[in-house]
Amino acid sequence: GPVPYLAKIGLKPQQGDKVAVNGWKLPKAEKAAVMARDLTVNGKTYTFRDAQGKPAWSPFEFMPQVTVQGTIKEIVMPERPQKPANGEKPAQRPQKMPGIVVTTDKGDVTIIGVPAPIVEKLGLKLEVGMKVSVTGWQTGDAKAAVVMARTITANGKTITLRDEAGKPIIERKEGDRPKPNGGKPRDGQGGKPRGEGA
């Protein structure tokens, strides 16, 4: 888990402490490695993940919050992967996330997690040249100038894309994107959902 989470739960492991770990073995690791579900040190148990492996912390919980003000320079809409021709490898998923590039007095900042259809559904149509104020979380290296959006304000209107924990306010639904093959199951699938993996 992230170091700030260890501080939050009061875990200060010391070299030589006897520990018991429950978790999942990582088979592809070069050395023996375990993804921890919980850890017991000196008789006290600290939880890191639930039974499905979901972390006990939000991915945004320990990221610095920032406000970006500027003008929209570009609206980024990732292209859908093209269906491969016979014999070709399937196209990879688009690397870019939907977002906008905002020009500020300190340079360009990429704002990610801004899908145009959902922004419009919330009542705001973004356009190049529009002045915006964005609150969100600084992701990765600060030099990369990438922010995951939480709120966007433009033309006197503020919309909220994510709650304080970073969870989207509006989840994407199946109807928001076209289904492959017209929504029909492929041959041999019979339309049944896949079972869970071991």
Side-chain angles (χ1 to χ4, degrees):
V3 172
Y5 179 71
L6 303 187
K8 179 181 177 180
I9 62 177
L11 175 57
K12 298 178 181 177
Q14 303 293 320
Q15 188 171 353
D17 284 348
K18 294 201 177 293
V19 301
V21 182
N22 289 315
W24 299 269
K25 198 174 196 178
L26 301 180
K28 294 185 179 180
E30 291 182 12
K31 297 181 179 180
V34 172
M35 178 72 72
R37 179 180 174 190
D38 59 62
L39 178 73
T40 301
V41 185
N42 299 325
K44 185 172 180 181
T45 299
Y46 303 87
T47 300
F48 293 92
R49 292 168 179 80
D50 65 16
Q52 287 71 46
K54 183 179 178 182
W57 60 91
S58 158
F60 301 100
E61 188 174 354
F62 305 110
M63 291 182 182
Q65 295 188 28
V66 295
T67 298
V68 175
Q69 294 180 330
T71 305
I72 297 178
K73 176 181 179 180
E74 180 185 354
I75 296 176
V76 180
M77 292 289 292
E79 294 180 10
R80 294 184 183 280
Q82 299 295 318
K83 188 174 180 180
N86 290 338
E88 292 183 5
K89 291 183 178 179
Q92 292 184 344
R93 291 175 178 259
Q95 296 298 312
K96 293 182 179 178
M97 289 185 70
I100 56 178
V101 177
V102 176
T103 299
T104 73
D105 56 359
K106 295 180 180 177
D108 290 350
V109 178
T110 300
I111 312 294
I112 58 175
V114 185
I118 289 179
V119 171
E120 284 191 39
K121 192 181 284 188
L122 292 169
L124 185 60
K125 183 171 175 60
L126 300 176
E127 297 175 350
V128 172
M130 179 183 281
K131 292 194 177 299
V132 294
S133 177
V134 180
T135 66
W137 298 272
Q138 180 82 52
T139 66
D141 187 348
K143 293 179 182 177
V146 176
V147 171
M148 174 65 78
R150 180 174 180 234
T151 68
I152 300 178
T153 302
N155 293 337
K157 183 177 180 68
T158 299
I159 63 167
T160 300
L161 295 168
R162 289 172 178 76
D163 64 17
E164 291 181 2
K167 183 179 179 183
I169 297 296
I170 295 182
E171 297 285 354
R172 283 181 181 264
K173 297 178 182 175
E174 282 298 316
D176 289 346
R177 45 178 94 157
K179 294 180 182 179
N181 199 25
K184 298 175 185 176
R186 285 182 247 164
D187 290 342
Q189 289 184 338
K192 295 179 182 177
R194 293 180 180 176
E196 291 185 7

